Amino acid sequence: MAKRVSLWNAGCPVARALDVIGDWWSLLIIRDAFDGVRRFNEFQAGLGIAKGMLATRLRGLVGKGVLDTAPASDGSAYREYVLTEKGRGLFLVIVALRQWGEDYLYRPGERRSSLVEARTDVPVGKLKLRSAKGRPLEWSDTRVTRC
Amino acid sequence: MAKRVSLWNAGCPVARALDVIGDWWSLLIIRDAFDGVRRFNEFQAGLGIAKGMLATRLRGLVGKGVLDTAPASDGSAYREYVLTEKGRGLFLVIVALRQWGEDYLYRPGERRSSLVEARTDVPVGKLKLRSAKGRPLEWSDTRVTRC
DNA sequence: CAGTATCCCCCCTGATACTG
DNA sequence: CAGTATCAGGGGGGATACTG
């Protein structure tokens, strides 16, 4: 979001990514978009966000190329908000957040949604970092180059 | 961060994760921690964050079990902030953000840091979602179960 | 339904000064 | 160096009313 201080010019892709979707609501809106939400009121009801804030956030995400507007699929006069390819690129960010939440933020037995293969309803596997050649990598096997 | 409205009780691990690290500064602090930053002033100088905010954020992250304090490794009287196992679990979130930033937020030729294998300096591979059996999965192959 | 327009409060955030 | 304290501002964010 346009904060007072923008990290856009940093040479760090993490900072630049957070500059775009690092505010409180954006990732939740995007999560809902991945779950099939398309209409203003659906977002509003699902998130409990104020309408004004939602309008601002949707406008911002469209402006940043994460969402796009499309004519309503049901023929009504209103537009819908759909993920662009850039927006769909955030899928793994959402998945990573989800898997971290599942691993560290729930106690056994607590009800929660889960990400499954659509055809079989089998939970998806855990994300894993690998080398360019496919060997599993831990954090300690990596470093960040100075830019 | 503790906002007015907490999503903690949602049955969605994504929402619960964002409730913990979804504010502007936390992920940047955590990114720096992954890059080896441990001291108050290092964080402060590197992030350009106000000291008061930094103190609040560090306290919050320690309280949430993402960071822990440890005696200074150089023998000085001050403590250091280090990632807990829970905090280290956020590695893939940072990596996912980084890879998205690299893919969609930089033009060819722009300087940026990059994540490489420490031993060889070869860039790591791209994260990929796979089924429980290891088959590559796209977003469209998945769905989120109602909780 | 899909927003826009206002009002208002509080907290984030920055700046500065102070302490061990 | 590693914070705490205090002050001041600006905008994030909620609530409500209004419009096409």
Side-chain angles (χ1 to χ4, degrees):
Chain A
M1 197 34 212
K3 316 271 285 202
R4 231 144 326 170
V5 47
S6 168
L7 267 16
W8 182 262
N9 288 317
C12 175
V14 179
R16 202 173 273 199
L18 288 173
D19 202 46
V20 175
I21 45 80
D23 68 293
W24 178 250
W25 289 113
S26 289
L27 278 174
L28 288 170
I29 292 171
I30 291 161
R31 175 205 60 175
D32 278 6
F34 275 118
D35 292 350
V37 173
R38 295 165 152 252
R39 305 289 284 255
F40 189 92
N41 259 33
E42 286 183 283
F43 285 110
Q44 211 255 316
L47 293 170
I49 185 178
K51 297 170 88 172
M53 276 311 321
L54 177 58
T56 302
R57 282 291 180 278
L58 288 173
R59 207 170 11 241
L61 290 170
V62 170
K64 288 163 182 164
V66 171
L67 293 179
D68 199 359
T69 53
S73 51
D74 62 356
S76 69
Y78 305 105
R79 48 192 172 171
E80 302 187 338
Y81 298 90
V82 295
L83 291 161
T84 61
E85 193 225 328
K86 182 173 176 177
R88 289 192 299 274
L90 286 164
F91 184 54
L92 293 184
V93 173
I94 302 285
V95 172
L97 281 167
R98 165 177 287 280
Q99 295 190 346
W100 183 73
E102 291 172 347
D103 287 349
Y104 294 99
L105 269 20
Y106 282 80
R107 280 167 313 184
E110 263 190 293
R111 290 184 75 76
R112 55 172 172 79
S113 67
S114 100
L115 183 68
V116 300
E117 255 188 284
R119 291 188 322 128
T120 63
D121 276 7
V122 175
V124 303
K126 293 258 185 160
L127 289 177
K128 187 96 189 82
L129 183 65
R130 294 173 183 277
S131 73
K133 293 180 178 163
R135 192 165 43 84
L137 247 33
E138 304 300 326
W139 163 49
S140 48
D141 301 323
T142 69
R143 72 179 189 91
V144 172
T145 66
R146 240 174 278 290
C147 68
Chain B
M1 199 34 214
K3 317 270 297 191
R4 231 144 323 171
V5 48
S6 168
L7 266 17
W8 182 262
N9 288 318
C12 174
V14 179
R16 201 173 274 199
L18 288 173
D19 201 46
V20 175
I21 46 80
D23 68 289
W24 178 249
W25 290 112
S26 289
L27 279 174
L28 288 170
I29 292 171
I30 291 162
R31 176 206 58 173
D32 278 6
F34 275 119
D35 292 350
V37 173
R38 294 165 153 253
R39 305 289 284 257
F40 189 92
N41 260 32
E42 286 183 283
F43 285 110
Q44 211 253 317
L47 294 171
I49 184 177
K51 297 170 88 172
M53 277 311 322
L54 177 59
T56 302
R57 281 291 179 280
L58 288 173
R59 205 168 14 240
L61 289 170
V62 169
K64 289 162 183 165
V66 172
L67 293 178
D68 199 359
T69 54
S73 51
D74 63 355
S76 69
Y78 306 104
R79 48 191 171 172
E80 302 188 339
Y81 298 90
V82 295
L83 290 161
T84 60
E85 193 225 328
K86 182 174 176 177
R88 289 192 300 274
L90 285 164
F91 184 54
L92 292 185
V93 173
I94 302 285
V95 172
L97 281 167
R98 165 177 287 279
Q99 295 190 346
W100 183 73
E102 291 172 346
D103 288 348
Y104 294 99
L105 270 20
Y106 282 81
R107 282 167 312 183
E110 263 190 292
R111 290 184 74 77
R112 56 173 172 77
S113 67
S114 100
L115 183 67
V116 299
E117 255 187 284
R119 291 187 322 126
T120 63
D121 275 8
V122 175
V124 303
K126 293 258 185 163
L127 289 177
K128 186 95 190 82
L129 183 65
R130 293 173 182 277
S131 72
K133 292 180 180 166
R135 193 166 43 84
L137 248 35
E138 305 300 326
W139 164 47
S140 50
D141 300 323
T142 69
R143 71 179 189 92
V144 173
T145 65
R146 240 175 278 290
C147 67

